[in-house]
Amino acid sequence: MTSFESHDSNVVEVDGVRFETIVSQTLLTIPEPKRAASTSVELGVRITNNTETMLYFSSNFYSMFPEMIAPDGQLMITGIGCERFNSPMESEFVLLIPGRSVTLYRDASLFWMRNRKKKRDRELILYIPFPAEDIYCFSPLYPGTYQFRFKYRKSREGVEDLSQWIEPIALQRIIENIWTGEVLTPLVDIQLVQS
């Protein structure tokens, strides 16, 4: 596996596949600490297939793991909620022909969450829902500059286990052409500011 950083600091390439961190806005206004107030942001990975082979990429919760670094340089621990009761479906695999790109987005929200035990206490969180009821949350957040990226990873392990949910011909095509590996997309600054 070969990789290099592009001259574009937001892109990394691994074995002919480019991965780019996408953040729709890097300056986020902290919403008022009241019910239903939030600030939305799209977070994603743009994947470009620069190889000569058609490749499949997984777009599910288990392949795209968000990472956030706090202003003090510490990697934040994410709260994860997983309610998935079924295995991935064929629609969670994206086929990229050579020279094409796809952007896998997640709509995230910045809002205040009330403490269940102490109703007056609230903490600012970044909430990133995924399909099938899976959720990532980063908290507590404060004004400052954070860094964000995705860890994209996929192995052939477990793909074969999808035979009861994906027709055999489609499953064989996915298994033969799935991109495998692990990559950290470049860090992008996200600044949280008071309104």
Side-chain angles (χ1 to χ4, degrees), residues 63-177:
S63 298
M64 291 176 58
F65 186 83
E67 291 188 349
M68 200 159 175
I69 297 174
D72 66 1
Q74 297 297 311
L75 182 65
M76 296 183 72
I77 303 300
T78 177
I80 300 174
C82 181
E83 299 292 329
R84 179 182 285 267
F85 295 111
N86 56 358
S87 288
M89 310 214 6
E90 185 177 353
S91 62
E92 294 180 31
F93 293 91
V94 177
L95 178 63
L96 273 183
I97 63 173
R100 293 297 180 121
S101 297
V102 66
T103 303
L104 307 172
Y105 278 111
R106 299 296 175 235
D107 293 321
S109 296
L110 185 66
F111 65 90
W112 293 91
M113 180 173 274
R114 186 179 293 181
N115 185 316
R116 290 182 181 162
K117 294 180 181 176
K118 298 179 181 179
K119 300 289 185 192
R120 292 178 187 255
D121 290 347
R122 294 173 186 252
E123 65 181 19
L124 186 63
I125 70 166
L126 180 64
Y127 172 86
I128 310 170
F130 275 65
E133 308 287 325
D134 301 324
I135 299 166
Y136 286 107
C137 292
F138 292 100
S139 68
L141 302 176
Y142 306 95
T145 301
Y146 294 78
Q147 294 183 303
F148 183 84
R149 68 181 171 200
F150 279 98
K151 179 188 290 184
Y152 181 91
R153 62 177 175 240
K154 192 64 191 167
S155 67
R156 290 197 199 296
E157 270 183 42
V159 177
E160 293 88 352
D161 298 336
L162 304 179
S163 60
Q164 58 185 317
W165 289 277
I166 299 175
E167 65 178 75
I169 294 171
L171 179 62
Q172 188 59 36
R173 189 173 54 243
I174 291 170
I175 291 170
E176 289 173 1
N177 296 299

Side-chain angles (χ1 to χ4, degrees), residues 18 46-51 57 95-102:
R18 288 172 52 112
R46 179 175 297 131
I47 302 171
T48 304
N49 181 0
N50 290 328
T51 72
F57 294 88
L95 178 63
L96 273 183
I97 63 173
R100 293 297 180 121
S101 297
V102 66

